[in-house]
């Protein structure tokens, strides 16, 4: 069952970005992660991948834009799968670039 990812469109109330100071948040938004989020992540058309999923009620897909962009980041930095996973877990810039606002969730 295909479902578009819309989690990145609204911040959670207890989002770590909301708890950051203004200068720190501005610096994060001005970094490569902010540019990647705006120019690449937000422009991934997930509906192109809808045909790959069943129309029957089932478990929803992992966010396609997160999967595609995680692979782009992995290739761009030359990381292995394990290195990507570590960065997804602990690197705030990578999480920001992939629209992962909630630090307690796993992306896929």
């Amino acid at each position: 069952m295909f479902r578009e990812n819309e989690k990145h469109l609204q911040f959670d109330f207890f989002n770590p970005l909301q708890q950051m100071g203004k200068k720190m948040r501005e610096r994060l938004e001005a970094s490569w992660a902010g540019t990647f989020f705006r120019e690449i992540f937000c422009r991934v058309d997930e509906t192109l991948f809808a045909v790959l999923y069943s129309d029957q009620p089932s478990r929803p897909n992992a966010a396609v834009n997160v999967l595609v962009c995680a692979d782009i980041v992995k290739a761009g930095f030359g990381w292995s799968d394990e290195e990507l996973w570590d960065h997804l877990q602990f690197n705030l810039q990578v999480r920001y670039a992939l629209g992962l606002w909630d630090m307690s969730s796993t992306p896929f």
Side-chain angles (χ1 to χ4, degrees):
M1 175 171 144
F2 177 76
R3 186 183 308 167
E4 276 191 78
N5 178 23
E6 297 177 350
K7 292 180 181 178
H8 64 283
L9 299 176
Q10 183 174 358
F11 289 125
D12 293 335
F13 185 69
F14 296 108
N15 181 317
L17 298 176
Q18 300 292 13
Q19 297 171 8
M20 274 184 191
K22 182 181 178 186
K23 287 189 179 220
M24 190 176 191
R25 188 171 52 246
E26 287 173 352
R27 187 165 179 196
L28 179 62
E29 291 169 356
S31 73
W32 71 267
T35 303
F36 187 91
F37 175 75
R38 289 186 306 276
E39 301 297 329
I40 298 174
F41 181 83
C42 289
R43 294 182 184 198
V44 172
D45 184 6
E46 292 182 287
T47 58
L48 297 174
F49 298 88
V51 296
L52 301 174
Y53 297 94
S54 172
D55 292 333
Q56 302 299 317
S58 59
R59 182 171 185 217
N61 59 293
V64 173
N65 54 0
V66 175
L67 292 170
V68 169
C69 289
D71 200 40
I72 293 170
V73 169
K74 176 186 158 193
F77 283 106
W79 294 334
S80 67
D81 289 339
E82 187 174 345
E83 289 171 316
L84 172 66
W85 186 252
D86 286 343
H87 284 283
L88 282 170
Q89 296 300 312
F90 306 114
N91 187 331
L92 187 58
Q93 281 187 309
V94 172
R95 291 188 71 85
Y96 184 84
L98 300 180
L100 301 170
W101 314 129
D102 180 11
M103 293 299 287
S104 65
S105 66
T106 55
F108 37 81

